[in-house]
């Protein structure tokens, strides 16, 4: 009798507790390291106003043009704002380094080793036509980006080697291995979920301008190809009351107007043709923002310090080209770039020279490599420059006079050591002249190019400058059809798989990546794998420091400058919450004071 009673008690406990354990494993959020900061009780994010008024139109100015509304095709120039159309499985927040919370996926399950992840689809999730978002749509989206996406998307999502439907609304993704600790978050937060019924019968590799079906907070209302695109807020947006969305997406309409001249773009803001502008040119901020609307108080100018990594802004040498496939030659060219004079003459000394791919953050390498960094770097010691282990990287510094004689002497010496000598005023090697083209798309880059051209000429190097329109520029970037460009790479406080897209050897051999420099380094590839498999913040930081050193000492780019200040100008009917999150301004949390707007616009 006692044995039967114990068996019955055990059976009852099993029946009632097992489901509770399963539910307990379902998480509302995912953090790259540690646990999410926000619990299930939270009603809204701390950096929003949950009672922000809805309404009005936010007008934005964009430089260039567009010819593509296809989220899948990476060809052509995609329209600004397309990210508003398609929701993802989870939503990233900006007050944590890298954390996501449930969106299309109401809950997730993930084992401790991160070898798989199961997404449970929110039964309320809907496309704009009212149809439900299903796990079949999730599977279709995954498989489409695995086979038709960018090189980086194919590589990243290709690590999902098996999928299973679980219960009534779950889809389990099983990974090729559990070394990529970031992969579950990449799938959760960056895979656009597109409707299978819309995309399955079209060639998703081609650009199109048909208005696609989406599921996000906005949908496209109308467009004028290349000139304007208008989005309207979805009134019955299925996820508007979920806590990652509460207090956001407050504008009834978003209008992006395109301009093909950066100076005209600024002048258009001054006369009220659009409402919000972020200024990236510090000298222009100092000299071009005294105008009537500012003096009247109708336009507000604001500077906000930030603590996020600045990334790398640089002149990029395409190492796929024979003329740039020697790191010593690339180093020589960096001595010809006179940052101190350019910063003084062109920018009123407004910028700081960049000396890290992760500048303005603890992720930037400094000093000599630590013991933990050396453990990672020593296995590649015979392939890496000796200086990496013995010196702190510092870009060349001039006296700012505009004639960097000392630096040019160093550059000349390096070039001669690599077999380049001046003959009849031209730098030559084996009968080949050192000449190349600097491809630019923005007139603002031309001044830098002209200054660089002048100093290179002293070395006997002929650099031509070619300006093309945005569509031509995009096409040439796609196929790496350039010698030199100016480019920038943004990074977060939790770098991961995007580093493969930036620097990975494999993606750099395929069109469409951002490995513009053509980095082809086993050490870089290994360090990227290390950082994405890091289990702790300390491991991640060590890997990033080591990667930073290898990239810097590879001299793939000539680092330019950065600023740790956000400079924004906006018409004063725009308002925003009191709290600014870790990553800075979140325009989606702003709103319009329509009373103020009517006084200014009428």
């Amino acid at each position: 009798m006692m044995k039967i009673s114990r068996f019955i008690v055990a059976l009852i406990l099993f029946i009632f507790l097992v489901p509770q354990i399963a539910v307990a494993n379902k998480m509302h959020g995912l953090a790259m390291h540690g646990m999410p900061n926000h619990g299930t009780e939270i009603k809204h994010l701390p950096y929003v106003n949950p009672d922000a008024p809805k309404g009005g139109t936010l007008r934005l100015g964009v430089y260039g043009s567009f010819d593509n509304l296809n989220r899948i095709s990476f060809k052509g120039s995609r329209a600004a704002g397309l990210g508003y159309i398609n929701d993802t499985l989870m939503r990233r927040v900006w007050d944590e380094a890298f954390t996501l919370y449930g969106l299309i996926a109401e809950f997730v399950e993930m084992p401790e080793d991160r070898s798989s992840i199961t997404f449970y689809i929110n039964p309320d999730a809907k496309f704009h036509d009212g149809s439900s978002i299903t796990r079949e749509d999730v599977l279709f989206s995954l498989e489409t980006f695995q086979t038709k996406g960018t090189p980086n998307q194919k590589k990243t999502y290709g690590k999902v080697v098996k999928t299973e439907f679980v219960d009534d609304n779950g889809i389990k993704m099983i990974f090729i291995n559990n070394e990529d600790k970031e992969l579950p978050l990449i799938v959760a937060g960056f895979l656009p979920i597109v409707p299978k019924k819309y995309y399955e019968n079209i060639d998703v590799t081609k650009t199109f301008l048909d208005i696609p079906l989406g599921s996000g907070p906005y949908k496209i209302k109308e467009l004028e190809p290349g000139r304007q695109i208008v989005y309207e807020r979805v009134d019955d947006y299925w996820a508007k009351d979920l806590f990652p969305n509460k207090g956001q997406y407050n504008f009834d309409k978003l209008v992006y107007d395109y301009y093909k001249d950066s100076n005209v773009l600024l002048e258009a803001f001054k006369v009220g043709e659009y409402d919000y502008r972020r200024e990236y040119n510090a000298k222009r901020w100092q000299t071009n923002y005294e105008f009537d609307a500012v003096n009247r108080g109708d336009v507000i100018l604001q500077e906000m310090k930030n603590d996020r990594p600045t990334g790398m802004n640089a002149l990029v040498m395409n190492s796929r080209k024979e003329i740039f496939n020697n790191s010593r030659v690339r180093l020589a060219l960096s001595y010809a770039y006179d940052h101190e004079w350019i910063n003084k003459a062109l920018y009123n000394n407004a910028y700081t020279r960049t000396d890290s791919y992760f500048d303005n953050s603890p992720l930037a390498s400094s000093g000599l490599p630590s013991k933990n960094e050396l453990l990672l770097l020593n296995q590649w010691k015979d392939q890496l420059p000796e200086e990496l282990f013995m010196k702190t990287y510092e870009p060349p510094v001039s006296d700012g006079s505009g004639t960097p004689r000392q630096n040019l002497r160093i550059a000349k010496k390096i070039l001669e050591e690599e077999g380049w000598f001046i003959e009849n005023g031209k730098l030559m090697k084996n009968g080949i002249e050192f000449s190349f083209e600097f491809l630019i798309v923005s007139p603002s880059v031309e001044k830098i190019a002209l200054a660089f051209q002048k100093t290179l000429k002293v070395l006997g190097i002929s650099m031509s400058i070619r300006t093309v329109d945005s569509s031509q520029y995009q096409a040439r970037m796609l196929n790496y059809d350039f010698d030199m460009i100016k480019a920038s790479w943004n990074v977060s406080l939790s770098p991961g798989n995007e580093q493969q897209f930036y620097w990975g050897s494999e993606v750099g051999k395929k069109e469409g990546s951002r490995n513009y420099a053509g980095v082809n380094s086993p050490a870089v590839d290994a360090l990227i794998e290390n950082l994405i498999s890091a289990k702790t913040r300390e491991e991640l930081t060590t890997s990033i420091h080591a990667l930073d050193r290898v990239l810097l000492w590879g001299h793939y780019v000539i680092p330019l400058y950065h600023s740790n200040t956000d400079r924004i100008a906006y018409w004063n009917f725009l308002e925003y919450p009191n709290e600014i999150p870790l990553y800075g301004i979140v325009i989606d949390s702003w709103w319009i004071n329509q009373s103020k707007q009517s006084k200014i616009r009428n």
Side-chain angles (χ1 to χ4, degrees):
M1 185 71 176
M2 182 65 68
K3 290 182 179 180
I4 293 175
S5 298
R6 286 176 178 173
F7 173 78
I8 292 172
V9 170
L11 182 61
I12 291 171
L13 287 172
F14 178 82
I15 291 171
F16 283 96
L17 288 180
V18 167
Q20 292 179 17
I21 293 171
V23 170
N25 287 336
K26 289 184 178 179
M27 302 175 290
H28 74 296
L30 291 175
M32 182 62 200
H33 298 106
M35 297 296 292
N37 289 347
H38 304 306
T40 54
E41 74 287 348
I42 189 172
K43 302 300 182 184
H44 61 83
L45 292 165
Y47 56 84
V48 306
N49 172 8
D51 300 316
K54 306 287 186 183
T57 298
L58 176 67
R59 298 175 303 174
L60 299 164
V62 187
Y63 177 79
S65 182
F66 73 93
D67 60 5
N68 186 17
L69 300 182
N70 185 358
R71 286 296 304 277
I72 299 168
S73 173
F74 54 88
K75 298 177 181 178
S77 297
R78 288 181 187 159
L82 280 184
Y84 288 115
I85 293 179
N86 300 101
D87 273 335
T88 49
L89 289 161
M90 305 185 80
R91 174 80 78 219
R92 187 173 185 178
V93 296
W94 303 112
D95 59 342
E96 301 179 61
F98 189 12
T99 302
L100 306 106
Y101 294 92
L103 192 60
I104 290 176
E106 186 176 17
F107 300 107
V108 296
E109 283 181 332
M110 184 175 67
E112 188 174 348
D113 65 2
R114 300 195 176 192
S115 58
S116 67
I117 188 168
T118 302
F119 298 100
Y120 291 91
I121 307 304
N122 192 319
D124 295 329
K126 298 287 192 298
F127 290 112
H128 293 152
D129 64 355
S131 61
S132 294
I133 301 175
T134 68
R135 54 190 178 182
E136 284 79 9
D137 295 302
V138 175
L139 179 59
F140 173 80
S141 301
L142 173 66
E143 292 177 342
T144 299
F145 282 98
Q146 282 177 328
T147 57
K148 308 294 185 183
T150 67
N152 189 52
Q153 288 169 336
K154 291 177 182 178
K155 181 178 178 63
T156 300
Y157 298 133
K159 295 177 183 178
V160 180
V161 293
K162 186 179 180 182
T163 57
E164 299 174 356
F165 286 167
V166 177
D167 298 334
D168 294 331
N169 66 336
I171 178 170
K172 182 177 183 179
M173 300 183 188
I174 301 169
F175 307 131
I176 191 169
N177 57 52
N178 61 347
E179 293 303 312
D180 187 344
K181 302 303 180 185
E182 187 189 41
L183 185 57
L185 282 81
I186 295 296
V187 176
F190 295 92
L191 175 67
I193 304 305
V194 298
K196 179 179 178 180
K197 62 183 177 182
Y198 183 89
Y199 284 91
E200 66 179 341
N201 295 317
I202 63 175
D203 185 349
V204 297
T205 65
K206 294 183 178 180
T207 64
F208 63 66
L209 287 169
D210 298 321
I211 296 177
L213 175 64
S215 60
Y218 288 91
K219 59 184 177 181
I220 298 173
K221 178 178 176 61
E222 57 191 11
L223 69 147
E224 189 176 347
R227 300 186 63 181
Q228 184 187 78
I229 184 165
V230 180
Y231 298 84
E232 64 178 353
R233 184 165 54 84
V234 179
D235 286 334
D236 58 350
Y237 172 44
W238 71 273
K240 62 183 178 181
D241 292 324
L242 295 183
F243 94 83
N245 291 337
K246 190 74 173 176
Q248 301 196 77
Y249 314 118
N250 301 312
F251 307 108
D252 281 348
K253 288 183 182 178
L254 302 174
V255 178
Y256 292 88
D257 285 311
Y258 280 77
Y259 298 81
K260 294 188 177 181
D261 184 291
S262 58
N263 293 321
V264 174
L265 181 61
L266 173 57
E267 295 305 314
F269 173 76
K270 291 180 179 180
V271 296
E273 290 188 12
Y274 62 97
D275 309 320
Y276 170 91
R277 176 179 172 87
R278 177 172 271 178
E279 182 56 73
Y280 295 97
N281 186 309
K283 184 175 182 180
R284 188 157 54 202
W285 179 260
Q286 294 172 350
T287 59
N288 286 33
Y289 280 81
E290 283 291 329
F291 53 95
D292 290 343
V294 172
N295 297 330
R296 293 194 306 268
D298 292 341
V299 167
I300 297 173
L301 307 181
Q302 196 160 355
E303 294 185 355
M304 299 179 181
K305 293 290 185 181
N306 68 68
D307 296 312
R308 63 180 181 272
T310 58
M312 177 58 75
N313 175 35
L315 304 184
V316 185
M317 294 163 281
N318 188 350
S319 66
R320 301 172 185 85
K321 305 287 186 174
E322 186 175 353
I323 203 167
F324 289 135
N325 65 7
N326 182 320
S327 66
R328 295 276 295 163
V329 169
R330 298 194 296 267
L331 171 61
L333 263 66
S334 72
Y335 275 96
Y337 178 78
D338 191 351
H339 166 78
E340 283 64 37
W341 182 84
I342 290 174
N343 192 31
K344 178 175 64 176
L346 301 185
Y347 302 118
N348 291 343
N349 288 319
Y351 291 115
T352 301
R353 186 75 186 271
T354 297
D355 59 6
S356 167
Y357 284 77
F358 306 91
D359 220 324
N360 196 47
S361 82
L363 300 174
S365 59
S366 62
L368 296 177
S370 67
K371 290 182 179 179
N372 288 336
E373 289 173 58
L374 289 173
L375 289 174
L376 295 176
L377 293 168
N378 279 336
Q379 58 184 312
W380 308 104
K381 194 166 186 175
D382 59 340
Q383 300 179 28
L384 298 173
E386 187 176 338
E387 295 92 337
L388 184 153
F389 298 90
M390 301 173 61
K391 297 180 181 179
T392 298
Y393 175 84
E394 294 179 355
V397 177
S398 75
D399 60 8
S401 66
T403 309
R405 292 184 179 88
Q406 180 62 29
N407 283 358
L408 290 175
R409 281 195 286 269
I410 296 172
K412 183 175 181 290
K413 182 176 184 295
I414 295 171
L415 290 167
E416 288 177 347
E417 290 171 350
E418 299 306 319
W420 291 94
F421 295 91
I422 292 180
E423 300 175 13
N424 299 320
K426 298 180 180 179
L427 193 66
M428 306 288 291
K429 179 179 180 180
N430 300 327
I432 298 173
E433 181 184 355
F434 199 125
S435 63
F436 66 93
E437 179 184 84
F438 190 159
L439 184 70
I440 65 176
V441 67
S442 170
S444 63
V445 182
E446 188 173 10
K447 291 181 179 179
I448 295 176
L450 289 170
F452 193 37
Q453 183 186 55
K454 180 181 176 182
T455 53
L456 288 174
K457 188 175 181 179
V458 178
L459 294 171
I461 296 173
S462 174
M463 184 191 84
S464 61
I465 302 170
R466 183 175 182 186
T467 304
V468 296
D469 63 32
S470 60
S471 60
Q472 289 177 299
Y473 190 78
Q474 189 68 29
R476 290 185 63 174
M477 296 277 278
L478 187 69
N479 299 301
Y480 316 114
D481 181 20
F482 58 84
D483 299 325
M484 175 177 282
I485 58 171
K486 178 181 177 292
S488 59
W489 294 266
N490 296 324
V491 293
S492 73
L493 289 166
S494 184
N497 276 278
E498 81 286 344
Q499 298 300 307
Q500 289 179 327
F501 193 46
Y502 294 170
W503 320 115
S505 301
E506 183 181 337
V507 299
K509 296 171 184 175
K510 301 173 183 177
E511 68 174 24
S513 84
R514 297 203 67 208
N515 185 354
Y516 303 132
V519 177
N520 186 10
S521 165
V524 168
D525 292 337
L527 290 169
I528 293 173
E529 291 296 333
N530 275 333
L531 74 91
I532 63 179
S533 64
K535 296 178 182 177
T536 66
R537 186 72 187 177
E538 182 181 5
E539 288 179 12
L540 174 72
T541 302
T542 298
S543 297
I544 289 292
H545 285 172
L547 175 65
D548 192 25
R549 296 181 194 280
V550 174
L551 290 172
L552 289 169
W553 286 99
H555 306 298
Y556 298 103
V557 305
I558 300 172
L560 297 181
Y561 48 75
H562 69 272
S563 172
N564 65 349
T565 300
D566 292 326
R567 302 172 179 88
I568 61 170
Y570 59 94
W571 287 78
N572 74 358
F573 51 78
L574 290 176
E575 298 181 351
Y576 59 89
N578 294 326
E579 182 171 332
I580 304 296
L582 180 66
Y583 279 97
I585 297 161
V586 179
I587 192 66
D588 294 330
S589 69
W590 289 39
W591 63 89
I592 289 177
N593 183 320
Q594 297 194 49
S595 175
K596 286 184 180 180
Q597 185 183 45
S598 63
K599 293 177 182 178
I600 293 175
R601 294 297 187 218
N602 293 335

